[in-house]
């Protein structure tokens, strides 16, 4: 059974159609790239999956259920912008995650934080942007979730931090979980993806295994994306 | 350090070749245990499913074998390793000829150039 399903999923903001009757299934155990230009509907889809928005039409299902309290306990979400209060210390954050999520593995998070020499007393506001992103990702990936929704996890960090973040994703997601990564930095993520979804103007224009793109078209996902989204 | 990949073939095929080269060159010794799929995938910067697929293919070719509980090992069968080494050499030769052809050289001309190069080396 798919872990993530969209059925005729539609979202309107006033007259603007952000998602237009989208149908989609994602199976467990897959790492999927949700790729599209700015304003294509990527973030809208992720916010709908989190219950931060409600569909105008159609529905979205996570493990067969509409987003709500129950799905929040199996979905680990990394928002595009930080949602952690910046006065909080690492220690408080760990406590917060432990209280919020039953599937949070505190030891795993601690081990990763120690490895980066981040002290428990350090506060978010004292951290560099790169460190803040890493800490957030560590917390999100330390949950034993069934679905990880990562909205632009590597946007705005330097290449070394990018590698760290991608490695942390590969090394920590639950094998039976699905990971959805929304990004426009395709070249950086493509070697870790099983499938890609190209989204544009609220439509899914392609949902293909990465191997197929390379085998049948002889090109990288990045090259295909550039071709299909060429600006005239 | 993540492994570098080119765009012309699937990642799993490139991972396979890379591991083959590690075995043939002795960077991985006969009988050596490979890192777990997850750790190996992390090292390469690829998806664990991709690493699994590459290892399954290599296992099919006999270059590695797996034990259900303890993971993947490099074969101890020298004949298999020698054969893989020859296959890789053939592949390399194909690639050389292919790129020479793209430059407008026939196989015979390429061979002549190679011969010239060998004689130069001898003189040095």
């Amino acid at each position: 059974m798919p872990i993530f399903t969209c059925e005729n999923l539609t979202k309107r903001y006033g007259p603007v159609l952000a998602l237009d009757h989208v149908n989609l299934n994602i199976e467990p155990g897959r790492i999927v790239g949700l790729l599209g230009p700015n304003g294509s509907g990527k973030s809208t889809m992720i916010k709908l999956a989190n219950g931060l928005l409600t569909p105008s039409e159609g529905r979205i299902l996570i493990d067969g259920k509409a987003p709500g309290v129950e799905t929040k306990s199996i979905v680990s979400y990394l928002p595009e912008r930080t949602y952690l209060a910046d006065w909080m210390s690492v220690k408080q954050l760990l406590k917060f995650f432990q209280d919020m999520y039953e599937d949070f593995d505190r030891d795993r998070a601690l081990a990763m934080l120690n490895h980066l020499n981040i002290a428990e007393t350090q506060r978010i506001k004292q951290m560099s942007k790169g460190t803040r992103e890493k800490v957030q990702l560590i917390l999100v990936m330390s949950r034993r979730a069934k679905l990880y929704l990562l909205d632009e996890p590597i946007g705005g960090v330097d290449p070394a931090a990018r590698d760290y973040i991608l490695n942390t994703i590969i090394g920590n997601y639950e094998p039976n979980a699905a990971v959805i990564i929304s990004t426009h930095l395709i070249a950086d993520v493509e070697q870790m993806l099983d499938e890609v979804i190209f989204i544009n103007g609220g439509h899914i224009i392609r949902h293909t295994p990465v191997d197929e793109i390379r085998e049948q078209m002889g090109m990288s996902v990045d090259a295909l994306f550039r071709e299909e989204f060429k600006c005239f | 350090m993540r492994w570098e990949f080119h765009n012309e073939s699937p990642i799993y095929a490139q991972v396979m070749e890379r591991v083959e080269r590690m075995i043939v060159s002795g960077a991985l010794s006969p009988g050596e245990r490979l890192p777990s799929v997850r750790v190996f995938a992390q090292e390469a910067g690829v998806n664990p499913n991709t690493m699994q697929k590459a290892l399954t293919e290599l296992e099919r070719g006999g270059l590695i074998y797996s034990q259900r509980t303890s993971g993947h090992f490099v074969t101890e069968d020298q004949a298999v390793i020698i054969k893989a080494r020859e296959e890789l050499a053939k592949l390399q030769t194909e690639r050389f000829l292919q790129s020479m052809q793209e430059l407008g050289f026939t196989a015979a001309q390429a061979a002549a150039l190679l011969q010239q190069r060998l004689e130069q080396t001898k003189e040095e």
Side-chain angles (χ1 to χ4, degrees):
Chain A
M1 196 182 80
I3 183 76
F4 182 81
T5 301
C6 300
E7 288 172 359
N8 284 317
L9 184 68
T10 302
K11 181 64 187 174
R12 290 189 196 85
Y13 300 112
V16 180
L17 203 52
L19 286 176
D20 186 6
H21 297 89
V22 166
N23 289 295
L24 177 67
N25 280 314
I26 290 172
E27 300 294 328
R30 315 285 286 169
I31 303 183
V32 182
L34 183 60
L35 315 176
N38 298 323
S40 55
K42 300 189 299 270
S43 286
T44 299
M45 188 185 280
I46 287 189
K47 283 176 187 156
L48 284 163
N50 273 297
L52 297 172
L53 295 171
T54 50
S56 309
E57 245 182 88
R59 57 182 191 160
I60 193 160
L61 297 173
I62 290 149
D63 206 19
K65 295 170 211 88
V69 177
E70 224 177 313
T71 65
K72 284 214 166 73
S73 68
I74 56 169
V75 175
S76 194
Y77 170 48
L78 181 79
E80 192 181 352
R81 288 190 188 77
T82 183
Y83 62 112
L84 304 171
D86 67 358
W87 51 265
M88 279 180 120
S89 66
V90 169
K91 193 173 181 175
Q92 286 166 318
L93 280 173
L94 288 167
K95 175 90 167 60
F96 175 74
F97 263 71
Q98 208 168 4
D99 292 345
M100 286 284 284
Y101 305 110
E102 261 181 44
D103 62 1
F104 182 63
D105 183 343
R106 189 172 188 274
D107 292 341
R108 197 199 299 188
L110 258 181
M112 284 193 266
L113 291 166
N114 283 338
H115 190 72
L116 289 178
N117 292 318
I118 295 172
E120 280 190 60
T121 50
Q122 219 172 320
R123 291 182 194 281
I124 300 265
K125 63 177 162 202
Q126 300 168 319
M127 296 172 184
S128 69
K129 184 172 165 50
T131 305
R132 218 175 290 169
E133 300 280 334
K134 284 184 213 162
V135 167
Q136 248 192 108
L137 185 89
I138 286 172
L139 293 170
V140 166
M141 294 313 298
S142 292
R143 288 186 53 197
R144 300 184 182 275
K146 286 190 178 170
L147 178 65
Y148 299 87
L149 294 173
L150 313 176
D151 200 357
E152 297 286 359
I154 52 171
V157 298
D158 64 73
R162 247 174 233 185
D163 282 356
Y164 176 83
I165 286 173
L166 297 176
N167 249 307
T168 304
I169 298 170
I170 295 172
N172 290 283
Y173 77 98
E174 288 295 300
N176 297 319
V179 183
I180 301 179
I181 302 174
S182 132
T183 187
H184 55 266
L185 299 167
I186 300 170
D188 286 306
V189 296
E190 90 165 86
Q191 68 192 59
M192 60 178 284
L193 301 177
D194 288 300
E195 328 175 349
V196 290
I197 296 168
F198 282 7
I199 183 169
N200 197 19
H203 295 102
I204 288 179
I205 57 174
R206 173 185 292 284
H207 181 188
T208 324
V210 171
D211 282 350
E212 206 174 295
I213 294 176
R214 287 171 175 262
E215 252 160 13
Q216 293 175 9
M217 298 181 223
M219 62 205 302
S220 65
V221 175
D222 190 51
L224 182 65
F225 185 90
R226 283 166 200 264
E227 197 169 294
E228 295 197 346
F229 289 94
K230 206 183 274 175
C231 300
F232 294 100
Chain B
M1 191 60 208
R2 305 169 87 203
W3 298 358
E4 295 286 335
F5 298 99
H6 60 75
N7 298 336
E8 285 81 33
S9 61
I11 306 279
Y12 82 87
Q14 297 181 56
V15 171
M16 271 179 75
E17 190 181 325
R18 178 96 176 221
V19 178
E20 257 171 3
R21 282 171 183 271
M22 288 163 90
I23 294 172
V24 161
S25 69
L28 288 169
S29 335
E32 186 174 337
R33 184 177 167 178
L34 301 181
S36 74
V37 171
R38 176 78 71 131
V39 170
F40 214 4
Q42 237 179 327
E43 198 181 301
V46 302
N47 187 308
N49 295 327
T50 304
M51 182 55 76
Q52 181 63 58
K53 188 169 174 181
L55 295 185
T56 305
E57 289 294 319
L58 287 173
E59 200 178 336
R60 202 198 306 263
L63 213 47
I64 62 176
Y65 65 95
S66 65
Q67 274 173 352
R68 207 174 307 154
T69 50
S70 47
H72 294 89
F73 298 83
V74 177
T75 183
E76 280 153 51
D77 187 341
Q78 280 298 338
V80 176
I81 296 177
I82 289 166
K83 187 160 161 274
R85 188 161 160 260
E86 281 163 5
E87 294 290 331
L88 278 173
K90 263 188 220 162
L91 184 69
Q92 205 55 42
T93 311
E94 282 308 319
R95 282 180 186 158
F96 169 68
L97 288 176
Q98 174 81 34
S99 57
M100 288 307 279
Q101 205 181 0
E102 279 163 18
L103 292 176
F105 289 90
T106 64
Q109 287 168 325
L113 279 173
L114 203 56
Q115 193 56 46
Q116 236 176 53
R117 176 70 178 73
L118 289 178
E119 275 153 28
Q120 254 176 25
T121 315
K122 251 183 263 165
E123 282 165 27
E124 285 163 15

